[in-house]
Amino acid sequence: MNENGLEQELAQLQNVYNMLTEFLVKYSFQLVGALLVFLIGLWVANKVSNLVAKQFEKHHIDITLSNFVSNLVRIIIVVMVGIIALGKLGISITPMVAAIGAASLGAGLALQGMLANYAAGVTIIVTRPFVVGNTIEIKGVSGVVKSIHLGLTLLTNEEGEVISIPNKHIVGEILHNSFENKLVNNHFNINYNSDVDQVIAIIRQVLERSEHVSQQAAPQIGINGFNSIGLEIGVRYWVPTAHYHQKKYQVNLALIHALQQAGIEIPCPIREIHIEK
């Protein structure tokens, strides 16, 4: 390297050094001020976020909504403080605000389905039409509520399947909530000459003694209708949803055994065929 090239590089380094020195001398107080504003803003954001979370906990509001709101408050405060700190440095924030607004609009249009799920999730958490452990049916899909998130609700059924339902498909739809239990609705026929009172008493005794039947609501037993086969008996009782089919089959087995032991005949449809020569 020749002497002239070395002098040029030294001159360039000197210029960079002078620019940095001039910048620090001129903007040092602004840098310190902006840093202090940002640090104080972070402290305030954490304090306000914790205060919001404590208020939600004090009023026994769902933890999911509490976390969402407290984090949202923290982010809003940090963004506001960041804008103020940039203003302290002399940076124009008007184009930045416009860019953020345009980006937010574009993101909102692109993610409108996801945002709709989040809005529906907030509605579910606030209005609480169901909670974890309830049995719900929505659009023909039923199960026990496993967890509630802002974007979706998870159900589980007796087979152990986990069903994910986007929250926008829950809010505004017809919702059935049977809480922890599910209704079993059975019908069967007995002969017209059977003692109806005895049949009802036998069924009621089986249901009241069964450990598989929920006793929170009394079973309903009666004559559901009349047909050509016999008297149609209606039986309604509740079993735990988590083992719905298993409990239903066991109770039905106990019912048929009790009726058979009492000599109650359940008629079968008979069709007579006459052949004419």
Side-chain angles (χ1 to χ4, degrees):
M1 181 179 294
N2 57 32
E3 185 176 348
N4 291 333
L6 181 61
E7 289 179 355
Q8 289 179 356
E9 290 189 2
L10 290 175
Q12 290 178 355
L13 291 174
Q14 184 65 35
N15 290 334
V16 172
Y17 174 77
N18 292 336
M19 289 176 59
L20 290 175
T21 305
E22 182 181 355
F23 179 82
L24 291 175
V25 171
K26 186 176 180 179
Y27 295 102
S28 58
F29 288 105
Q30 293 178 339
L31 286 171
V32 172
L35 182 61
L36 287 175
V37 168
F38 190 72
L39 291 177
I40 293 173
L42 289 178
W43 179 80
V44 172
N46 289 329
K47 287 292 183 182
V48 174
S49 176
N50 292 334
L51 179 62
V52 170
K54 288 180 180 178
Q55 289 298 317
F56 274 64
E57 183 179 357
K58 179 180 178 181
H59 292 86
H60 305 290
I61 298 177
D62 190 274
I63 186 64
T64 307
L65 181 61
S66 173
N67 292 338
F68 173 73
V69 174
S70 60
N71 290 331
L72 180 62
V73 169
R74 180 186 289 110
I75 292 172
I76 291 174
I77 295 176
V78 169
V79 171
M80 292 175 61
V81 169
I83 293 174
I84 295 173
L86 291 175
K88 286 290 183 181
L89 291 175
I91 300 174
S92 177
I93 61 174
T94 303
M96 188 178 300
V97 172
I100 292 174
S104 300
L105 178 60
L109 293 175
L111 303 175
Q112 56 183 345
M114 185 182 298
L115 295 176
N117 284 327
Y118 287 157
V122 172
T123 301
I124 292 171
I125 293 169
V126 172
T127 59
R128 299 174 73 85
F130 54 84
V131 296
V132 174
N134 284 174
T135 302
I136 65 171
E137 180 177 348
I138 182 78
K139 289 188 171 182
V141 178
S142 63
V144 179
V145 179
K146 182 179 181 182
S147 59
I148 305 170
H149 304 278
L150 284 175
L152 53 85
T153 296
L154 298 179
L155 308 182
T156 183
N157 58 19
E158 192 171 351
E159 289 74 33
E161 299 174 335
V162 177
I163 306 168
S164 302
I165 303 180
N167 286 331
K168 67 180 181 181
H169 295 303
I170 297 178
V171 174
E173 298 291 340
I174 298 176
L175 174 71
H176 298 267
N177 187 352
S178 57
F179 302 95
E180 295 84 8
N181 299 310
K182 190 174 181 180
L183 179 67
V184 177
N185 194 355
N186 281 341
H187 304 93
F188 61 89
N189 293 297
I190 62 173
N191 286 327
Y192 276 102
N193 57 2
S194 299
D195 187 341
V196 178
D197 293 329
Q198 180 191 11
V199 172
I200 293 176
I202 291 172
I203 297 173
R204 189 177 304 279
Q205 186 179 45
V206 171
L207 296 180
E208 289 178 350
R209 292 181 178 180
S210 175
E211 60 180 9
H212 308 300
V213 177
S214 172
Q215 302 300 327
Q216 294 180 0
Q220 298 174 336
I221 310 159
I223 299 176
N224 189 64
F226 308 89
N227 54 54
S228 59
I229 301 174
L231 289 172
E232 185 178 73
I233 302 297
V235 183
R236 292 160 55 91
Y237 58 91
W238 299 83
V239 297
T241 306
H243 307 285
Y244 173 77
H245 291 93
Q246 178 184 351
K247 303 299 183 184
K248 173 183 175 181
Y249 297 156
Q250 291 174 342
V251 172
N252 287 345
L253 182 61
L255 287 174
I256 192 64
H257 283 168
L259 292 173
Q260 289 175 344
Q261 289 176 3
I264 305 298
E265 182 181 352
I266 298 178
C268 296
I270 298 175
R271 178 174 297 176
E272 293 184 357
I273 299 177
H274 299 274
I275 300 177
E276 295 182 359
K277 293 183 180 180

